[in-house]
């Protein structure tokens, strides 16, 4: 008998893609937050 590994492979690949996308989104959000924190003191001076 030959077992089919296609469904677990597809699920694993999809989970990897979702995790990678979530990591990228979190890194971008973290960089945006760091940028905003860096420049928040200058918001009031009108630059």
């Amino acid at each position: 008998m030959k077992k089919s590994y296609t469904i677990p492979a597809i699920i694993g690949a999809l989970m990897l893609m979702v995790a990678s996308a979530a990591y990228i989104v979190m890194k971008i959000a973290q960089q945006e937050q760091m940028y905003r924190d860096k420049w928040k003191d200058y918001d009031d001076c009108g630059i």
Side-chain angles (χ1 to χ4, degrees), residues 2-46:
K2 190 175 184 183
K3 289 188 175 181
S4 175
Y5 293 108
T6 56
I7 293 175
I10 291 172
I11 292 172
L14 287 174
M15 288 176 57
L16 183 63
M17 287 177 19
V18 168
S20 298
Y23 176 77
I24 291 169
V25 168
M26 292 301 294
K27 288 300 273 185
I28 291 171
Q30 180 184 19
Q31 289 176 351
E32 180 69 22
Q33 183 66 35
M34 288 173 59
Y35 178 80
R36 288 181 189 270
D37 287 344
K38 177 181 178 181
W39 292 104
K40 72 179 177 182
D41 294 336
Y42 299 101
D43 286 340
D44 295 333
C45 70

